[in-house]
C-alpha cells in the first residue's frame, strides 16, 4: 500500500497507457483493491473478489487465479469473465499436465508469459483451462512471495479489450497488482494455518475439561452450538462468531483448577466452597490469555458469570462493560444449566426456563441477547 502511494504521481503525471485511460479512476480502484485485500475474511472470498477487481482495473476480458497446492498440482480457485460469470473454487480439478508444465516455467522464470489463441500443441482441455477458447490472447503472471511459489494469475484479452503487455507502465501496473495479490494470498494462507492451530488447541483444552469433569465438557459443546447461532442472529462478524464459539467451548476451562472435592460434590456447595468455585472464570481467563492465538477469548471467559445489573462475579461488571460474548455466554449458559438439571435439582422445562430468562431481562441478562436466544430456539 505504501509502495503504491509513494508511486502515485507516476500514474497521474506519466504517459497514459492503454490500461490507464482514467488515471484517477484507476488510482481509486487500486486503492479499493488494497483495502479489500487487507480486509477479506477468507482466502476464497479474497480471490473471488480480486479477479473481478483485476478485470475492472486492467480493463481486460477475464482473470483467473490458479494456486499451486502442497501436492505439487495447480488448481483454479477463482475466475471472473467480464459481464459473464464468476467461477468459484474448483478444488477437485487439477490443471492438465502441459498447462502445469507451463505454469512451472512461469514461476521458475518469475516473469510474465503471453500465449495467443492460435498457439499449437495445446489440447482442447488446456485451451479451456487457459481461457483461450473465449479470448484471443492470455498473459500468465507469476505469484511468488520470496521463495514461496503461490501460483499464477491468468488474464485474457482481445475480444472487447486489449493491453500492450510489453509497455513499461502497463507492466508496472500488473506487477503492482500481482505483488499485492500474492502477498495477500500468502498472508491469508498463514492466517488460516494459525487459525487451524488455534482451533486444535481449543478442542484439546475442551477435551481436557471433559476428562476432568464430563458434565462441564458436554455442557460446553451444547452452549457453543447455541452461542454461535445467537451471535449470528445478533449480526456479529464471522470472526466474532468464531471467537464466541471458541470461548463457549472454553468458558468453564478454569474449573480444571478447582479441587475435585468441590467440582465433583454431588450436593449444593457451602459458602466457602462456593467462593472457591467463583474463581473459575478468572482462572479460565488466565489460562487462555497465556495461549498464543487464544488471548482474545480471555475477556469472554472471565465475564460469563457477570450480570447486567453489576451483581455478578468475578468483577461485578455492569451493562456494556461486559463484552458481548460474555453477555451471550451468560444467557445461553443459564438456559442450558436450567434445562439440563443437576444431581441436586430437577431440570426445568423449556417454557419455564424461557420464563426465567424473561424475568431476568435487564437485571441478570442482556434483553437483546434473551430475545435473540428465544428466536433461535423457536426456529
Ligand atoms: Fe462457569
Amino acid at each position: 500500500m505504501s509502495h503504491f502511494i509513494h508511486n502515485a504521481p507516476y500514474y497521474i503525471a506519466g504517459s497514459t497507457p492503454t490500461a490507464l485511460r482514467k488515471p484517477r479512476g484507476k488510482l481509486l480502484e487500486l486503492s479499493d483493491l488494497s483495502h479489500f485485500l487487507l480486509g477479506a475474511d477468507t482466502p476464497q472470498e479474497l480471490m473471488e473478489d480480486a479477479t473481478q477487481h483485476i478485470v475492472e482495473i486492467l480493463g481486460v476480458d477475464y482473470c483467473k487465479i490458479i494456486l499451486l497446492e502442497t501436492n505439487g498440482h495447480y488448481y483454479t480457485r477463482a475466475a471472473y469473465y467480464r459481464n459473464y460469470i464468476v467461477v468459484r473454487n474448483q478444488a477437485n480439478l487439477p490443471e492438465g499436465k502441459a498447462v502445469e508444465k507451463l505454469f512451472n516455467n512461469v514461476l521458475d522464470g518469475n516473469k510474465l508469459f503471453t500465449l495467443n489463441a492460435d498457439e499449437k500443441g495445446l489440447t482442447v482441455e488446456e485451451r479451456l483451462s487457459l481461457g483461450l477458447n473465449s479470448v484471443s490472447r492470455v498473459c500468465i503472471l507469476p505469484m511468488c512471495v520470496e521463495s514461496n511459489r503461490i501460483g499464477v494469475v491468468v488474464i485474457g484479452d482481445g475480444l472487447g479489450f486489449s493491453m500492450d503487455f510489453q509497455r513499461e507502465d502497463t507492466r508496472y501496473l500488473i506487477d503492482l497488482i500481482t505483488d499485492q495479490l500474492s502477498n495477500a494470498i500468502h498472508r491469508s494462507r498463514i492466517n488460516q494455518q494459525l487459525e487451524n492451530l488455534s482451533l486444535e488447541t481449543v478442542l484439546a483444552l475442551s477435551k481436557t475439561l471433559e476428562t476432568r469433569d464430563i458434565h462441564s465438557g458436554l455442557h460446553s459443546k451444547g452452549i457453543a452450538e447455541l452461542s454461535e447461532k445467537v451471535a449470528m442472529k445478533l449480526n456479529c462478524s464471522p470472526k466474532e462468531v468464531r471467537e464466541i464459539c471458541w470461548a463457549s467451548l472454553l468458558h468453564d476451562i478454569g474449573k480444571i483448577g478447582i479441587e475435585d472435592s468441590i467440582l465433583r460434590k454431588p450436593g449444593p456447595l457451602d459458602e466457602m466452597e462456593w467462593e472457591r468455585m467463583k474463581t473459575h472464570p478468572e482462572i479460565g481467563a488466565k489460562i487462555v490469555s497465556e495461549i498464543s492465538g487464544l488471548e482474545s477469548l480471555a475477556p469472554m471467559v472471565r465475564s460469563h458469570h457477570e450480570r447486567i445489573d453489576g451483581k455478578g462475579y468475578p468483577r461485578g461488571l455492569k451493562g456494556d462493560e461486559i463484552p458481548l460474548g460474555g453477555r451471550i455466554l451468560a444467557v445461553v449458559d443459564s438456559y442450558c444449566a436450567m434445562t439440563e438439571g443437576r444431581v441436586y435439582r430437577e431440570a426445568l422445562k423449556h417454557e419455564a426456563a424461557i420464563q426465567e430468562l424473561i424475568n431476568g431481562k435487564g437485571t441478570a441478562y442482556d434483553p437483546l441477547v434473551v430475545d435473540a436466544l428465544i428466536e433461535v430456539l423457536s426456529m
Side-chain angles (χ1 to χ4, degrees), residues 21-43:
R21 293 184 195 93
K22 294 176 185 170
R24 284 179 191 280
K26 296 294 174 197
L27 278 175
L28 287 175
E29 285 169 16
L30 264 176
S31 173
D32 279 353
L33 178 65
S34 302
H35 282 298
F36 172 77
L37 293 177
L38 286 171
D41 275 320
T42 64

mmCIF file of all heavy atoms in Angstrom, residues 21-43:
data_model
loop_
_atom_site.group_PDB
_atom_site.id
_atom_site.type_symbol
_atom_site.label_atom_id
_atom_site.label_comp_id
_atom_site.label_asym_id
_atom_site.label_seq_id
_atom_site.Cartn_x
_atom_site.Cartn_y
_atom_site.Cartn_z
ATOM 1 N N ARG A 21 -6.783 4.599 -18.961
ATOM 2 C CA ARG A 21 -7.469 5.678 -19.669
ATOM 3 C C ARG A 21 -7.935 6.769 -18.720
ATOM 4 O O ARG A 21 -7.989 7.918 -19.074
ATOM 5 C CB ARG A 21 -8.659 5.102 -20.442
ATOM 6 C CG ARG A 21 -8.211 4.202 -21.581
ATOM 7 C CD ARG A 21 -9.388 3.731 -22.385
ATOM 8 N NE ARG A 21 -8.982 2.612 -23.222
ATOM 9 C CZ ARG A 21 -9.095 1.338 -22.871
ATOM 10 N NH1 ARG A 21 -9.617 1.034 -21.705
ATOM 11 N NH2 ARG A 21 -8.698 0.387 -23.671
ATOM 12 N N LYS A 22 -8.299 6.354 -17.471
ATOM 13 C CA LYS A 22 -8.723 7.329 -16.470
ATOM 14 C C LYS A 22 -7.834 7.151 -15.245
ATOM 15 O O LYS A 22 -8.191 6.420 -14.315
ATOM 16 C CB LYS A 22 -10.183 7.096 -16.081
ATOM 17 C CG LYS A 22 -11.159 7.360 -17.223
ATOM 18 C CD LYS A 22 -12.553 6.996 -16.761
ATOM 19 C CE LYS A 22 -13.524 7.127 -17.917
ATOM 20 N NZ LYS A 22 -14.837 6.560 -17.580
ATOM 21 N N PRO A 23 -6.637 7.783 -15.223
ATOM 22 C CA PRO A 23 -5.675 7.527 -14.161
ATOM 23 C C PRO A 23 -6.244 7.678 -12.752
ATOM 24 O O PRO A 23 -6.010 6.858 -11.901
ATOM 25 C CB PRO A 23 -4.579 8.561 -14.429
ATOM 26 C CG PRO A 23 -4.709 8.893 -15.867
ATOM 27 C CD PRO A 23 -6.164 8.787 -16.170
ATOM 28 N N ARG A 24 -7.011 8.767 -12.540
ATOM 29 C CA ARG A 24 -7.524 8.966 -11.182
ATOM 30 C C ARG A 24 -8.487 7.849 -10.796
ATOM 31 O O ARG A 24 -8.526 7.390 -9.672
ATOM 32 C CB ARG A 24 -8.189 10.328 -11.054
ATOM 33 C CG ARG A 24 -7.173 11.437 -10.969
ATOM 34 C CD ARG A 24 -7.829 12.792 -10.865
ATOM 35 N NE ARG A 24 -6.839 13.833 -11.055
ATOM 36 C CZ ARG A 24 -6.010 14.231 -10.098
ATOM 37 N NH1 ARG A 24 -6.066 13.679 -8.915
ATOM 38 N NH2 ARG A 24 -5.119 15.170 -10.335
ATOM 39 N N GLY A 25 -9.296 7.404 -11.785
ATOM 40 C CA GLY A 25 -10.219 6.296 -11.540
ATOM 41 C C GLY A 25 -9.445 5.037 -11.192
ATOM 42 O O GLY A 25 -9.796 4.320 -10.278
ATOM 43 N N LYS A 26 -8.368 4.787 -11.921
ATOM 44 C CA LYS A 26 -7.551 3.606 -11.671
ATOM 45 C C LYS A 26 -6.920 3.669 -10.288
ATOM 46 O O LYS A 26 -6.792 2.674 -9.600
ATOM 47 C CB LYS A 26 -6.445 3.484 -12.727
ATOM 48 C CG LYS A 26 -6.954 3.267 -14.111
ATOM 49 C CD LYS A 26 -7.641 1.922 -14.240
ATOM 50 C CE LYS A 26 -8.284 1.768 -15.597
ATOM 51 N NZ LYS A 26 -9.267 0.685 -15.607
ATOM 52 N N LEU A 27 -6.505 4.876 -9.905
ATOM 53 C CA LEU A 27 -5.922 5.042 -8.575
ATOM 54 C C LEU A 27 -6.907 4.619 -7.505
ATOM 55 O O LEU A 27 -6.569 3.897 -6.578
ATOM 56 C CB LEU A 27 -5.541 6.512 -8.342
ATOM 57 C CG LEU A 27 -4.211 6.956 -8.915
ATOM 58 C CD1 LEU A 27 -4.037 8.454 -8.710
ATOM 59 C CD2 LEU A 27 -3.079 6.211 -8.257
ATOM 60 N N LEU A 28 -8.149 5.076 -7.663
ATOM 61 C CA LEU A 28 -9.180 4.735 -6.677
ATOM 62 C C LEU A 28 -9.434 3.233 -6.677
ATOM 63 O O LEU A 28 -9.562 2.619 -5.631
ATOM 64 C CB LEU A 28 -10.487 5.491 -6.981
ATOM 65 C CG LEU A 28 -10.461 6.977 -6.653
ATOM 66 C CD1 LEU A 28 -11.756 7.627 -7.109
ATOM 67 C CD2 LEU A 28 -10.258 7.198 -5.156
ATOM 68 N N GLU A 29 -9.482 2.636 -7.893
ATOM 69 C CA GLU A 29 -9.733 1.196 -7.970
ATOM 70 C C GLU A 29 -8.595 0.418 -7.312
ATOM 71 O O GLU A 29 -8.816 -0.553 -6.605
ATOM 72 C CB GLU A 29 -9.882 0.771 -9.433
ATOM 73 C CG GLU A 29 -11.218 1.174 -10.027
ATOM 74 C CD GLU A 29 -11.252 0.989 -11.534
ATOM 75 O OE1 GLU A 29 -10.378 0.285 -12.056
ATOM 76 O OE2 GLU A 29 -12.156 1.542 -12.170
ATOM 77 N N LEU A 30 -7.343 0.868 -7.556
ATOM 78 C CA LEU A 30 -6.196 0.202 -6.935
ATOM 79 C C LEU A 30 -6.253 0.339 -5.418
ATOM 80 O O LEU A 30 -5.953 -0.594 -4.691
ATOM 81 C CB LEU A 30 -4.898 0.839 -7.441
ATOM 82 C CG LEU A 30 -4.222 0.136 -8.608
ATOM 83 C CD1 LEU A 30 -3.012 0.929 -9.043
ATOM 84 C CD2 LEU A 30 -3.800 -1.262 -8.208
ATOM 85 N N SER A 31 -6.656 1.516 -4.980
ATOM 86 C CA SER A 31 -6.774 1.763 -3.546
ATOM 87 C C SER A 31 -7.845 0.842 -2.955
ATOM 88 O O SER A 31 -7.658 0.243 -1.905
ATOM 89 C CB SER A 31 -7.133 3.226 -3.316
ATOM 90 O OG SER A 31 -7.392 3.445 -1.978
ATOM 91 N N ASP A 32 -8.989 0.707 -3.678
ATOM 92 C CA ASP A 32 -10.057 -0.197 -3.252
ATOM 93 C C ASP A 32 -9.529 -1.624 -3.138
ATOM 94 O O ASP A 32 -9.814 -2.335 -2.190
ATOM 95 C CB ASP A 32 -11.198 -0.225 -4.292
ATOM 96 C CG ASP A 32 -12.108 0.969 -4.121
ATOM 97 O OD1 ASP A 32 -11.922 1.697 -3.137
ATOM 98 O OD2 ASP A 32 -12.982 1.155 -4.984
ATOM 99 N N LEU A 33 -8.745 -2.023 -4.158
ATOM 100 C CA LEU A 33 -8.206 -3.382 -4.172
ATOM 101 C C LEU A 33 -7.316 -3.610 -2.950
ATOM 102 O O LEU A 33 -7.421 -4.619 -2.266
ATOM 103 C CB LEU A 33 -7.415 -3.628 -5.461
ATOM 104 C CG LEU A 33 -6.747 -5.010 -5.575
ATOM 105 C CD1 LEU A 33 -7.790 -6.113 -5.648
ATOM 106 C CD2 LEU A 33 -5.840 -5.088 -6.783
ATOM 107 N N SER A 34 -6.454 -2.629 -2.642
ATOM 108 C CA SER A 34 -5.555 -2.757 -1.498
ATOM 109 C C SER A 34 -6.351 -2.912 -0.215
ATOM 110 O O SER A 34 -6.072 -3.790 0.599
ATOM 111 C CB SER A 34 -4.672 -1.511 -1.356
ATOM 112 O OG SER A 34 -3.959 -1.329 -2.529
ATOM 113 N N HIS A 35 -7.376 -2.051 -0.045
ATOM 114 C CA HIS A 35 -8.201 -2.127 1.165
ATOM 115 C C HIS A 35 -8.891 -3.475 1.242
ATOM 116 O O HIS A 35 -8.944 -4.103 2.280
ATOM 117 C CB HIS A 35 -9.266 -1.020 1.168
ATOM 118 C CG HIS A 35 -8.694 0.304 1.546
ATOM 119 N ND1 HIS A 35 -8.116 0.525 2.772
ATOM 120 C CD2 HIS A 35 -8.604 1.465 0.875
ATOM 121 C CE1 HIS A 35 -7.688 1.775 2.828
ATOM 122 N NE2 HIS A 35 -7.974 2.365 1.681
ATOM 123 N N PHE A 36 -9.409 -3.912 0.083
ATOM 124 C CA PHE A 36 -10.120 -5.175 0.059
ATOM 125 C C PHE A 36 -9.201 -6.333 0.427
ATOM 126 O O PHE A 36 -9.537 -7.185 1.242
ATOM 127 C CB PHE A 36 -10.743 -5.405 -1.321
ATOM 128 C CG PHE A 36 -11.320 -6.769 -1.419
ATOM 129 C CD1 PHE A 36 -12.528 -7.045 -0.813
ATOM 130 C CD2 PHE A 36 -10.623 -7.785 -2.025
ATOM 131 C CE1 PHE A 36 -13.045 -8.323 -0.833
ATOM 132 C CE2 PHE A 36 -11.139 -9.070 -2.055
ATOM 133 C CZ PHE A 36 -12.345 -9.326 -1.466
ATOM 134 N N LEU A 37 -8.002 -6.336 -0.181
ATOM 135 C CA LEU A 37 -7.077 -7.441 0.066
ATOM 136 C C LEU A 37 -6.660 -7.503 1.524
ATOM 137 O O LEU A 37 -6.406 -8.565 2.073
ATOM 138 C CB LEU A 37 -5.829 -7.302 -0.825
ATOM 139 C CG LEU A 37 -6.070 -7.479 -2.330
ATOM 140 C CD1 LEU A 37 -4.787 -7.251 -3.103
ATOM 141 C CD2 LEU A 37 -6.633 -8.850 -2.651
ATOM 142 N N LEU A 38 -6.624 -6.333 2.172
ATOM 143 C CA LEU A 38 -6.247 -6.312 3.591
ATOM 144 C C LEU A 38 -7.393 -6.783 4.470
ATOM 145 O O LEU A 38 -7.185 -7.271 5.567
ATOM 146 C CB LEU A 38 -5.837 -4.889 4.008
ATOM 147 C CG LEU A 38 -4.469 -4.430 3.511
ATOM 148 C CD1 LEU A 38 -4.269 -2.956 3.795
ATOM 149 C CD2 LEU A 38 -3.361 -5.234 4.171
ATOM 150 N N GLY A 39 -8.649 -6.618 3.978
ATOM 151 C CA GLY A 39 -9.792 -6.851 4.862
ATOM 152 C C GLY A 39 -10.575 -8.126 4.610
ATOM 153 O O GLY A 39 -11.483 -8.435 5.366
ATOM 154 N N ALA A 40 -10.238 -8.895 3.552
ATOM 155 C CA ALA A 40 -11.055 -10.085 3.239
ATOM 156 C C ALA A 40 -10.993 -11.102 4.376
ATOM 157 O O ALA A 40 -9.958 -11.283 5.002
ATOM 158 C CB ALA A 40 -10.553 -10.716 1.948
ATOM 159 N N ASP A 41 -12.136 -11.744 4.630
ATOM 160 C CA ASP A 41 -12.226 -12.684 5.751
ATOM 161 C C ASP A 41 -11.583 -14.033 5.462
ATOM 162 O O ASP A 41 -10.974 -14.641 6.323
ATOM 163 C CB ASP A 41 -13.697 -12.921 6.126
ATOM 164 C CG ASP A 41 -14.200 -11.853 7.078
ATOM 165 O OD1 ASP A 41 -13.422 -11.483 7.980
ATOM 166 O OD2 ASP A 41 -15.325 -11.393 6.904
ATOM 167 N N THR A 42 -11.748 -14.518 4.234
ATOM 168 C CA THR A 42 -11.208 -15.844 3.907
ATOM 169 C C THR A 42 -10.416 -15.758 2.606
ATOM 170 O O THR A 42 -10.660 -14.887 1.775
ATOM 171 C CB THR A 42 -12.346 -16.862 3.701
ATOM 172 O OG1 THR A 42 -13.110 -16.449 2.549
ATOM 173 C CG2 THR A 42 -13.263 -16.943 4.914
ATOM 174 N N PRO A 43 -9.470 -16.696 2.396
ATOM 175 C CA PRO A 43 -8.703 -16.695 1.153
ATOM 176 C C PRO A 43 -9.621 -16.813 -0.064
ATOM 177 O O PRO A 43 -9.390 -16.176 -1.092
ATOM 178 C CB PRO A 43 -7.811 -17.928 1.277
ATOM 179 C CG PRO A 43 -7.755 -18.250 2.726
ATOM 180 C CD PRO A 43 -9.036 -17.750 3.321
#
